[in-house]
Amino acid sequence: MPRDLSVFGGTANLPLAEAIARALGVRLGARVVERFPDGEVEVRLEEGVRGHHVYLVQPTTPPVNDNLVELLLLADACRRAAAERVIAIVPYFGYARSDRRHGSRAAVGARVVADLMEAVGVAEVITLDLHTPQVEGFFRVPVDGLSALPLLADAARERLTSDAVVVAPDAGRVKMATAYAQWLRTPLVVLHKRRDSSTRTSVTHLVGDVRGKQCLVIDDLISTGGTIADSARALHDAGARPGVLVAATHALMLGDAAEKMRRAGVSCVLTTDTIACRAPDDGFVHTVSVAGMVAAAIRED
Amino acid sequence: MPRDLSVFGGTANLPLAEAIARALGVRLGARVVERFPDGEVEVRLEEGVRGHHVYLVQPTTPPVNDNLVELLLLADACRRAAAERVIAIVPYFGYARSDRRHGSRAAVGARVVADLMEAVGVAEVITLDLHTPQVEGFFRVPVDGLSALPLLADAARERLTSDAVVVAPDAGRVKMATAYAQWLRTPLVVLHKRRDSSTRTSVTHLVGDVRGKQCLVIDDLISTGGTIADSARALHDAGARPGVLVAATHALMLGDAAEKMRRAGVSCVLTTDTIACRAPDDGFVHTVSVAGMVAAAIRED
Amino acid sequence: MPRDLSVFGGTANLPLAEAIARALGVRLGARVVERFPDGEVEVRLEEGVRGHHVYLVQPTTPPVNDNLVELLLLADACRRAAAERVIAIVPYFGYARSDRRHGSRAAVGARVVADLMEAVGVAEVITLDLHTPQVEGFFRVPVDGLSALPLLADAARERLTSDAVVVAPDAGRVKMATAYAQWLRTPLVVLHKRRDSSTRTSVTHLVGDVRGKQCLVIDDLISTGGTIADSARALHDAGARPGVLVAATHALMLGDAAEKMRRAGVSCVLTTDTIACRAPDDGFVHTVSVAGMVAAAIRED
Amino acid sequence: MPRDLSVFGGTANLPLAEAIARALGVRLGARVVERFPDGEVEVRLEEGVRGHHVYLVQPTTPPVNDNLVELLLLADACRRAAAERVIAIVPYFGYARSDRRHGSRAAVGARVVADLMEAVGVAEVITLDLHTPQVEGFFRVPVDGLSALPLLADAARERLTSDAVVVAPDAGRVKMATAYAQWLRTPLVVLHKRRDSSTRTSVTHLVGDVRGKQCLVIDDLISTGGTIADSARALHDAGARPGVLVAATHALMLGDAAEKMRRAGVSCVLTTDTIACRAPDDGFVHTVSVAGMVAAAIRED
Amino acid sequence: MPRDLSVFGGTANLPLAEAIARALGVRLGARVVERFPDGEVEVRLEEGVRGHHVYLVQPTTPPVNDNLVELLLLADACRRAAAERVIAIVPYFGYARSDRRHGSRAAVGARVVADLMEAVGVAEVITLDLHTPQVEGFFRVPVDGLSALPLLADAARERLTSDAVVVAPDAGRVKMATAYAQWLRTPLVVLHKRRDSSTRTSVTHLVGDVRGKQCLVIDDLISTGGTIADSARALHDAGARPGVLVAATHALMLGDAAEKMRRAGVSCVLTTDTIACRAPDDGFVHTVSVAGMVAAAIRED
Amino acid sequence: MPRDLSVFGGTANLPLAEAIARALGVRLGARVVERFPDGEVEVRLEEGVRGHHVYLVQPTTPPVNDNLVELLLLADACRRAAAERVIAIVPYFGYARSDRRHGSRAAVGARVVADLMEAVGVAEVITLDLHTPQVEGFFRVPVDGLSALPLLADAARERLTSDAVVVAPDAGRVKMATAYAQWLRTPLVVLHKRRDSSTRTSVTHLVGDVRGKQCLVIDDLISTGGTIADSARALHDAGARPGVLVAATHALMLGDAAEKMRRAGVSCVLTTDTIACRAPDDGFVHTVSVAGMVAAAIRED
């Protein structure tokens, strides 16, 4: 743990910033973040950081662009106040799914975000369960890519019966699903979508056997809950035991995501506090904290 | 005018983008800008730009961070599609007032914006009436800083009587006011605010003579209309002729700005279309277009 | 197609360089590549490139470090000879599998390669079927990521019966396999390896049904042939029809790779000429050329 | 205050460098600066700086280019000797008035200077009363912009009567003048020049009332004394009390500047030692030292 | 030769700039270079350069720092005026002898100069007979290193008898001397200095045989003429034929250099116009122009 | 000596890495360097380096490209593991002879190597007897250029008689030879090659007198031994005493270099351990270690 260490939180997830500071045994740094009537953000540190290692906790959750620019301004303020090293803790990394050009004349959003962070002097990034781990390579600076998998798999284990299977909701999640399956010693099932050339609609195909089995669908992110709901329906259609479990590191839970998943037969969602919670735990969503894991990464490594 | 030229508009001010393309005699480039449920933006050019000089028209008006990030993604898409040169036309430049640190541990927002644009490969910037012209120096790349002053001063001249004075609403606008006064051959009046140490409130001081005179208050930007309204009241208190004129390049007109100025005795506001108009011209606000001036800068220089 | 275009080939795959030049209707540029007794490489262009777009064809096949450094020196020579733009055509991209840190204190080899290319002024990269498409984002400069999938899938179609399935040899290839399956309208089968905690050996698991089916195992790269051979054996053990087909863009074919696959029951390998062929086509390996596809990318886009 | 700190002075203002070192309680570092017959400068540190924070004191006073290059060479020597951080203390910042392009095809001198300093590895700049504070934003690195205003205003207060006014000698100085007026609780007067279109000469206009008042003209810099002399004459013509006071942070005092101001009715000039004094204090010029303020900035922040 | 080409001269050697422009068949670009009373330089192009290849002719002769900064400002003005490519023609490259650290805590002046040029956007450099050719490698950008050797050797040949020898005046010039000797088919003689440990003075040692021979001493630069005069004396002491010839690309001729060499027995100095001539040709100094050679490098390569 | 210091060795010269670590009193860091069947290298540090100054010992001896890339990957691993400073100890610097373009369209190999090292974050370089000291200027970062001359000259002194001469084997080595001659107080002799225009072969010319003298030929590097063997023959032909001594910092000793030199009359070669020894000391080659000198540079400076 660096001698001169400061932790500041942006406005995106203050409870997590406080939990991390607490786990480190330090006080959260005082700062002002103002938003003008025209939407411009102004930031100001209220304590000196000269020569410090400054950790800025700011997941780039919605409103993603506002939170991103706020983080960039905080980093600039730190640099101009002569901090020795600015480390961005971005537990949820917005634009991570824009990890390649979708079409030949698109942008690579995640690389743009990496470039912006480096442009204002971010010297290191700590994040969790990037949509694709390769995003680490979009940065010149060190990226500490933590994983909530052990936390979530342990939480899942208590709820699983011996005949459970781990389900990848699409081709891109098969690697993560094999890791869960390895950890929990269960078989693997793969869902993948394919455009039906006659009807032009997308049909979910199932590879593997789920008849009578308890299903744990895993994902990195729950956004509107649509993919999970589709998966749950496809699993039930294929004979899976009612009551699908879900484990996902990041829970944006946009709109009526919870209701949508519940209606599709999901019985429980396991997730973390990388994104500031929008609702109290209610038995349906169960949240484990990553603060200790982040603090350990700062302290030990 | 470069041989292979493309003009694309972001979503911030499409009418201006179209007007500029029209003035250049070209078709506005096709592109897709999508906003996902979680607020992330995805952009895609629908025509090739390899080897082109691409002009991206996007004032960074509110929502400023969304429009800024959209511009950055468009620039990245152009660069990755092998455009030869990406020129950002940012008629209104958000964060321009953050041109120095206000307090010793703040950010320099305008420099951050410059760094971000250069980080994604913007090779030149065209803008109008920056809050301070020094912002040009925040860029390594060429900045073409146009001024709407001739357009607005000409529009003002028709409405002015021979005893008019030009009024700087604060110390920072004196330079711009002297340019208007020189152009219109009128005397100058300076307003400036000072904190009253006993009451801790800010009092407007007036330097110069306005008794019985027609006043033209100039500014670069009307945001909430508060500064202009204060100025109008101070001028009337000091005996100015009723019916203050206002000339300002950029009109954000946030909230009830128009109503606020009208109540304070402003009779007419002259402005331009750098910011997409929010209301029809109604006699109170009179708008002149900068499209021709921008097109000329692209074409001739 | 740029007006002033030159194509040079390094020593890694001259036949492909010549085929690309031929497809473009230009002569391959003259250059000298010397290797000193101590292994240092010296390069020298024998024709001027001032103001040219120079395309350097050099897959970074084994000896990978020699071929990489040769490419970097060629790019430096072009830049110092005042080429306007240096484009690296790297049909096979060495170190692409080092696309993230495997362990927390490793290097990201593919990002290092990207940094090296940009350090010597490479302004654009053309490549085929990167191990992970995200490697594109390791570059600031445009990356044109072509795919041999249409060529190989068409070549496979002629050899497939109606009951064929496409097989992903591991979790990382599921996305590519779904693309083949979509293109060929076949079901998908997934193999994935898992460490058996008791025996500490790695066991191949099969998800999906292959009994009596013809299998097409796809991959981006055949290195020693081990993964493919393991897959073929696992498929046959699970009842697949004898005679597994293989389609892979890049065929390093190290050591006795061909023999190894043949022994495991592979009947035919479809591949391309991204890597200079080490043996004549013999019925077992069937090669289709990517030269036309690369030339089209240069010419049209 | 960093543990390993060195202070070196260039040749531009050794007395100030010594005063700063003294105020910090350290010895000024030994170095050699040689000037060859052809004007080339050679610098050499005579003590090790590995791992040190090195402060280089060098205002870029005339001969400005020689002093600037000397500073750049010193910074390079520090960097190549493995200093951890090189901080340039540039109390007077030459080329600061070149803060924007004057004409569309000019250079931005102050940005060029910023680029040059960053090119040789200057990691932080400490300066005083920049001509425009926005020059801070020309740097990526932190700029500590101190102000001599409190020192000079206090020195002025003793000499002012209760009816004093603060005078801005041109439109660009109104902001600084309002700060003085706020500090000294006096009214404000603004001078500004305008070209007379008939005679093509520049005429000084006065805004505000000076009849019978004592005037304090403020400025950032006295170069040839021409602007100040013009101001004094204009004030006297408008009925100001004889004996104008002047306060300016930087006193280049080129040519017969002192005589010129004296003849125009200036009675006293208050300034600082940012520029090595060219003459002894003689009652006309009164100098206060900024060494303590600079040392405090190094020590405390 | 690029289509849109402009040539501007700084103030260091206008006759050469004009000669180069003339040789290219173009008009020298109009520009203003002003020097303020405080020594600051202001530059302004008086014609547009958007999209042009701009050649700036400015040897960095004494006053070297003024000429260097002038060149940097001109380059910045070109870049900000959107020139496509700025090429610095620096026929004599000041600080070239500072090509390594002399002592462990010195600067590498020539690398600093290279960094400064690149910092302001110089994209290519054309120069002649660098003190060490390795200085080319100090630049990322292309350096076209021309040599006046063929011009000077041809001029020397007319004046040489069949028994001439080429003399390297010190160890660092042996490579250049061998090139002259190869070109002129003469033997080589080497002078080198060594500190005499007893007297602490430097003694010139002569390697080779000069008895009765005509000597041609070659060098890249004549500064104060001291080295050449010492060489001539050492050669005469060793029995060389009276009347030493000298060939040197750059002739600074500081102070009484001509007289000093004449007194030491030099009969004729052959040089070029890389440095603006300070005196008319008088039989002692003979000047050949490099304008044609520079123009050819621009035109042909 | 930095507080947190780690020393790692690449695979190029582990004995030297161990000797340096021993001389510093530290343990050599544990790391894994794997080479895959396709020649790709994978590196992994097995101990943490966060906040450390990491010294990587890796001369870029043959196979030069493999060793270079291994060094670059090690540096990347250190940077991504958040080392504070990565220092490359490259005792023998491959590609150093490629210090300028040989021909106008070649690469500058040594600058490419410098760019590559800086691209992966090398912050300082320690090396010995660079082929030309100017290569130091190819780096932005500090280069500590040590010299084995004192070690080798002392070793030579014991073997020299009073009539010895120091011989430069070609024009480029005259500076190094004068340093040896100064240190050993001997005369100097210069060999240089010249193409004979009639026979087109290269002939060695000798400047100076060697009749009956003992000769010490010095060089920075012995590669194939050809240059040294040619020199020895030329010296004997000119009447030198039989039994030429050789001193060279780096001994690649490629192929039958030893035999070749022996046959040409070389009696003894003095060298260092910058390059891992390929053969035991046998009386012919005598090796002195530079480990102490490198350790001192780390410890003291």
Side-chain angles (χ1 to χ4, degrees), chain B residues 20-156:
Chain B
I20 291 169
R22 210 180 307 122
L24 287 168
V26 303
R27 199 176 37 70
L28 199 60
R31 51 81 190 146
V32 173
V33 174
E34 276 182 290
R35 213 155 288 228
F36 287 115
D38 58 2
E40 292 185 12
V41 178
E42 191 171 275
V43 305
R44 207 165 53 250
L45 309 181
E46 295 198 307
E47 31 193 84
V49 296
R50 176 172 290 274
H52 285 211
H53 286 222
V54 183
Y55 293 82
L56 299 173
V57 182
Q58 176 87 333
T60 44
T61 51
V64 56
N65 298 324
D66 288 328
N67 284 331
L68 173 60
V69 172
E70 184 185 313
L71 172 60
L72 298 173
L73 292 170
L74 281 167
D76 188 65
C78 291
R79 187 181 49 163
R80 290 191 182 273
E84 187 175 313
R85 189 174 178 88
V86 179
I87 300 98
I89 300 181
V90 188
Y92 170 70
F93 191 99
Y95 285 102
R97 281 166 298 170
S98 181
D99 59 357
R100 47 176 302 207
R101 289 190 292 170
H102 302 289
S104 68
R105 300 196 198 92
V108 182
R111 173 67 198 244
V112 168
V113 170
D115 286 343
L116 303 186
M117 289 188 188
E118 293 184 358
V120 295
V122 168
E124 189 173 346
V125 175
I126 298 177
T127 188
L128 271 105
D129 286 326
L130 285 167
H131 184 65
T132 35
Q134 284 76 16
V135 168
E136 156 181 21
F138 290 9
F139 285 88
R140 267 188 72 77
V141 300
V143 175
D144 209 345
L146 308 176
S147 176
L149 190 148
L151 295 177
L152 292 174
D154 285 352

Side-chain angles (χ1 to χ4, degrees), chain A residues 101 136 143 182 186 194, chain C residues 101 136 143 182 186 194:
Chain A
R101 288 190 293 169
E136 156 182 21
V143 174
Q182 168 97 30
T186 70
R194 200 189 287 178
Chain C
R101 288 189 294 169
E136 156 181 23
V143 174
Q182 167 96 32
T186 70
R194 198 188 289 179

Side-chain angles (χ1 to χ4, degrees), chain E residues 5-18:
Chain E
L5 170 153
S6 301
V7 181
F8 290 88
T11 61
N13 193 345
L14 260 184
L16 180 60
E18 272 155 8

Side-chain angles (χ1 to χ4, degrees), chain D residues 7 23 38 53 62 64 84 90 105 123 156 158 201 214 255 266 278:
Chain D
V7 182
D38 57 1
H53 287 222
V64 56
E84 188 176 313
V90 188
R105 300 196 197 92
E158 307 166 11
T201 57
Q214 185 192 25
V266 172
R278 327 210 129 193

Side-chain angles (χ1 to χ4, degrees), chain E residues 101 136 143 182 186 194, chain F residues 99 101 136 143 182 186 194:
Chain E
R101 287 190 293 169
E136 156 181 21
V143 174
Q182 167 97 30
T186 71
R194 200 189 286 179
Chain F
D99 59 357
R101 288 190 292 168
E136 157 182 19
V143 174
Q182 167 96 30
T186 71
R194 200 188 288 177

